Amino acid sequence: MELLAKAPVLGCAGKMQRQRQRGSALGRWICRAVAPPRAAPATPPRVRLRDGRHLAYAESGASKEDARFKVVFSHGFTGSRLDTVRPAPEVAEELGVYMVGFDRAGYGQSDPNPNRSVKSAALDVEELADALGLGPKFYVIGISLGCHAVWGALKYIPDRIAGAAMMAPVVNYWWPGFSPELAAEVYAKQEVGDQWALRVSHHAPGILHWWMEQSWLPTSTVVAGTTPLPNERDAEIRSKMKADGTFQQKREQATQQGIHESYYRDMTVMFGKWEFDPMALPEPPCPVHLWQGDEDGLVPVVLQRYLAGKIGWINYHELPGTGHFLSSVPGLGDNVLRTLFSDKQ
């Protein structure tokens, strides 16, 4: 305000008019910067949580009333309630599986949660399942960064989980169970912008939004969609999504509540300071499966192997010649569901 007060007063009416217009424009910009994003109309079905927030969801597969298995999906970074493992419809019907995906807090048409954490993500899953009447136990499947909700479920609500699957789960380089030397070596191999984005997410989450919006600072290639992808299928999928507008459409769908409440808060939750180390969790009372491609350009396979080696109760499935976008791998969705329910068939 002191700088504004010292601004020179222009002597002619025309200059004064232009100054007022600039001031008005500046005021509008400030309002947009500090005001909370306006929520889009709630067209999908939503459930109301205990704290008053709403979660938007989408159902697929067999009818809930006739289903043998009930699954809650936690979508990945930039995803939505419409994401699934893409099983063949006939397989979902044969298995009798009801599936529900939801916009995680702050995504799509789900209300933001300024106190979002790994624990709150797990409790959102539980509240959604209870609101939809999924019974005392249900299955959870996480995709990519959305797997933090699965880790949270195994920590905070293990008795509610009948089985869990994680597909290319994102890792936190600061989990205590990792070898510090290995984590540092792999971290240093990332793009410089990604190193900085994760560093800020972990050490200074309060400035991440500001940091990510500065064009002169190194920021996330994942958000920009420019991360080098060593797997040919991954590269082709992303190239096609950018060419046909799908990449931008997904971004607009995910960030309806503001990019800070979706992308950036996701980063601070995933790469922030966790209340627990997944590698120190006790064995849960249900089977847990993890799928990882050995050509994943977003989640280092060496860290996933290390994690799986430290957790004796993880059923680790490594896919040769496969990248990060596992939902697009032909037949994998069918295999994930059959494997997840194998002890009940």
Side-chain angles (χ1 to χ4, degrees), residues 102-273:
F102 68 104
D103 290 336
R104 292 191 284 102
Y107 270 85
Q109 296 192 36
S110 287
D111 295 332
N113 180 0
N115 299 313
R116 185 143 65 99
S117 65
V118 176
K119 183 175 184 177
S120 74
L123 298 183
D124 280 0
V125 168
E126 182 180 37
E127 280 204 66
L128 174 70
D130 288 343
L132 296 177
L134 302 192
K137 285 183 178 286
F138 51 89
Y139 293 82
V140 288
I141 296 179
I143 300 173
S144 188
L145 189 146
C147 289
H148 73 268
V150 179
W151 287 121
L154 295 174
K155 165 66 175 178
Y156 297 109
I157 55 168
D159 292 336
R160 300 297 308 277
I161 307 304
M166 291 180 272
M167 302 180 68
V170 172
V171 299
N172 183 319
Y173 292 86
W174 291 273
W175 283 339
F178 280 133
S179 157
E181 295 77 19
L182 178 61
E185 177 187 345
V186 178
Y187 183 86
K189 292 179 180 179
Q190 297 181 99
E191 298 294 299
V192 172
D194 294 306
Q195 292 184 42
W196 274 104
L198 299 193
R199 187 177 291 123
V200 174
S201 296
H202 185 79
H203 295 290
I207 69 167
L208 180 65
H209 190 183
W210 173 85
W211 183 282
M212 293 292 292
E213 296 302 306
Q214 307 308 307
S215 60
W216 55 278
L217 289 173
T219 57
S220 170
T221 67
V222 179
V223 173
T226 58
T227 310
L229 298 176
N231 180 260
E232 184 177 347
R233 180 190 286 114
D234 280 2
E236 289 177 354
I237 290 173
R238 187 176 67 186
S239 178
K240 182 178 179 181
M241 288 175 62
K242 287 195 166 187
D244 66 11
T246 303
F247 185 88
Q248 182 61 26
Q249 290 170 10
K250 283 176 65 68
R251 181 186 180 96
E252 292 172 357
Q253 163 75 15
T255 61
Q256 291 177 62
Q257 310 299 322
I259 195 168
H260 170 67
E261 292 296 346
S262 49
Y263 290 10
Y264 302 158
R265 201 174 291 281
D266 242 7
M267 293 167 66
T268 60
V269 170
M270 181 66 232
F271 302 108
K273 298 175 175 65

Side-chain angles (χ1 to χ4, degrees), residues 64-107:
K64 185 168 54 179
E65 293 73 22
D66 298 332
R68 296 175 57 209
F69 307 107
K70 299 177 176 68
V71 178
V72 178
F73 286 102
S74 177
H75 67 76
F77 191 66
T78 79
S80 78
R81 64 186 179 278
L82 302 177
D83 294 352
T84 76
V85 294
R86 302 182 189 175
E90 58 271 20
V91 172
E93 195 65 33
E94 171 202 334
L95 294 173
V97 55
Y98 162 88
M99 298 168 284
V100 58
F102 68 104
D103 290 336
R104 292 191 284 102
Y107 270 85

